Amino acid sequence: MKAIAERLEIEGIPPYVESWSAAGIPGFIPAVLNRWRDNAGNLPTRFVMVLCPQVEIDARGGLPDRVRELTNPRLRFLHFTGCHKPYIVFLYSGDDAEEWRTEVQRLLSWSEGYQAELEAGIARLKFIDAVEEPEMLA
């Protein structure tokens, strides 16, 4: 099956985030997109994506309950980088995508959020936000 994106473009990512970003790891995002297509069918042309290191989720005792409520297990992937670091990748394409991303990402340490667009073999990610320390729920 043909790869979804032969090329990845990331715009607007600040240098301090780029230094630890998983999105910039060669091949990582295209592999995630191919996996989404293989598991959930055709991809929408626009969606949001949140990436978070699994080690950060484990350090908090697992995925926060609210994040579980907001995410579809079929669109929540554990995916490894080329250097064998596991990341949880969350994908969402609903009309309320920005609100969804804000609520999910505010609960996840060292997470990065993007608006994604697929067009003619190119995946374009527009950086939205990075969260180093999550909000704590009462």
Side-chain angles (χ1 to χ4, degrees), residues 15-62:
Y16 81 93
V17 175
E18 191 172 23
S19 69
W20 54 264
S21 170
I25 297 171
F28 183 72
I29 295 299
V32 168
L33 297 177
N34 288 332
R35 187 168 174 201
W36 185 8
R37 179 198 54 207
D38 294 346
N39 289 334
N42 289 332
L43 291 157
T45 57
R46 295 186 65 127
F47 53 92
V48 294
M49 175 184 300
V50 174
L51 312 169
C52 182
Q54 179 67 46
V55 68
E56 296 297 335
I57 292 170
D58 292 346
R60 292 196 57 207

Side-chain angles (χ1 to χ4, degrees), residues 99-118:
E99 294 83 10
W100 174 89
R101 186 214 46 87
T102 299
E103 189 168 359
V104 167
Q105 194 173 1
R106 73 180 176 86
L107 299 169
L108 299 172
S109 298
W110 296 98
S111 62
E112 48 192 299
Y114 299 90
Q115 174 68 47
E117 186 173 336
L118 302 176

